[in-house]
Amino acid sequence: MSKNILILCFSFLVFGYSYGQYDWTQGQLILKNGDTLNGYLKLPIINKAAIGNSHAVKYKESKEKNGKSLYYPNSVKEIIFKDLNNETSIYRYIKTSKHGKSQMFKLLYSGDNIRLYGRMVSEVTASPLPGNSNFITSEGYYPTDFNEFYAQGKYERIATPLVKVGPFTKSFKKNAMKYFSDCPNLALKIKNGKLRQSDLLEIAEKYDECK
């Protein structure tokens, strides 16, 4: 079994409610045509209270530059950020439905048989009051918390929600028991509460071992 890649960063969420997108952060934009662009990037974030959302990544060569370019899911392979300790964070577009647009997620775990993705989804209906932007920082894209998690098997084209924001959504336990049902011992531990949502990385590792 190849070595599993665990990607879990602990810092602050970079998020501006008034724009519905992350702040400008230095990183690498890797395109599907093989090109790599080094500069400053601004990632899209989904606001489920909004009528429409932009799925484009914004790019510019320097933070001071006024002009910017937009890159859409069909042209982006992945985005890489590194913090001061040289820890790597990888963001990718993945499909979450058959006909919907690919959406941006952070890669949290990559193993032989499963990948685990996470993201922060907003349900903000209005901008916060001045001085109340508690989630904005200039340190980089390293969320301490996500509120949506998806799993994607080795041969799966569409990722499956384990935790999803919104009305009429199933619980983590129901989603996880169904998704990991081909590993009965793992599904049983989830059913009995021995493994919970907070154990997602451990669950992904155990699923790899099971397969």
Side-chain angles (χ1 to χ4, degrees), residues 35-78:
D35 291 345
T36 297
L37 303 178
N38 294 289
Y40 284 81
L41 305 165
K42 200 175 187 182
L43 303 186
I45 187 168
I46 299 300
N47 183 347
K48 292 197 173 183
I51 296 175
N53 286 280
S54 172
H55 295 277
V57 175
K58 296 180 180 180
Y59 166 83
K60 56 184 180 180
E61 291 182 5
S62 65
K63 202 170 185 178
E64 295 75 22
K65 190 173 181 180
N66 292 325
K68 61 180 180 292
S69 301
L70 299 179
Y71 290 87
Y72 292 89
N74 61 346
S75 65
V76 176
K77 181 180 178 181
E78 63 185 23

Side-chain angles (χ1 to χ4, degrees), residues 104-121:
M104 181 70 71
F105 284 80
K106 181 179 177 179
L107 178 64
L108 300 177
Y109 174 91
S110 181
D112 292 333
N113 300 292
I114 188 174
R115 291 191 181 109
L116 181 65
Y117 294 93
R119 68 175 177 178
M120 175 61 71
V121 173

Side-chain angles (χ1 to χ4, degrees), residues 33-161:
N33 65 6
D35 291 345
T36 297
L37 303 178
N38 294 289
Y40 284 81
L41 305 165
K42 200 175 187 182
L43 303 186
I45 187 168
I46 299 300
N47 183 347
K48 292 197 173 183
I51 296 175
N53 286 280
S54 172
H55 295 277
V57 175
K58 296 180 180 180
Y59 166 83
K60 56 184 180 180
E61 291 182 5
S62 65
K63 202 170 185 178
E64 295 75 22
K65 190 173 181 180
N66 292 325
K68 61 180 180 292
S69 301
L70 299 179
Y71 290 87
Y72 292 89
N74 61 346
S75 65
V76 176
K77 181 180 178 181
E78 63 185 23
I79 291 168
I80 299 175
F81 296 108
K82 289 188 177 181
D83 65 12
L84 296 177
N85 296 319
N86 212 34
E87 294 286 343
T88 299
S89 293
I90 297 174
Y91 286 77
R92 292 175 180 168
Y93 283 108
I94 62 171
K95 293 281 289 183
T96 59
S97 64
K98 185 175 181 180
H99 300 293
K101 296 179 179 179
S102 295
Q103 298 180 27
M104 181 70 71
F105 284 80
K106 181 179 177 179
L107 178 64
L108 300 177
Y109 174 91
S110 181
D112 292 333
N113 300 292
I114 188 174
R115 291 191 181 109
L116 181 65
Y117 294 93
R119 68 175 177 178
M120 175 61 71
V121 173
S122 170
E123 292 185 286
V124 177
T125 56
S127 298
L129 296 173
N132 194 34
S133 53
N134 297 324
F135 294 98
I136 302 175
T137 177
S138 60
E139 295 301 319
Y141 292 102
Y142 306 109
T144 60
D145 197 13
F146 291 100
N147 57 8
E148 284 200 341
F149 297 91
Y150 281 70
Q152 188 173 31
K154 186 176 181 180
Y155 301 107
E156 294 174 351
R157 180 173 170 267
I158 298 172
T160 300

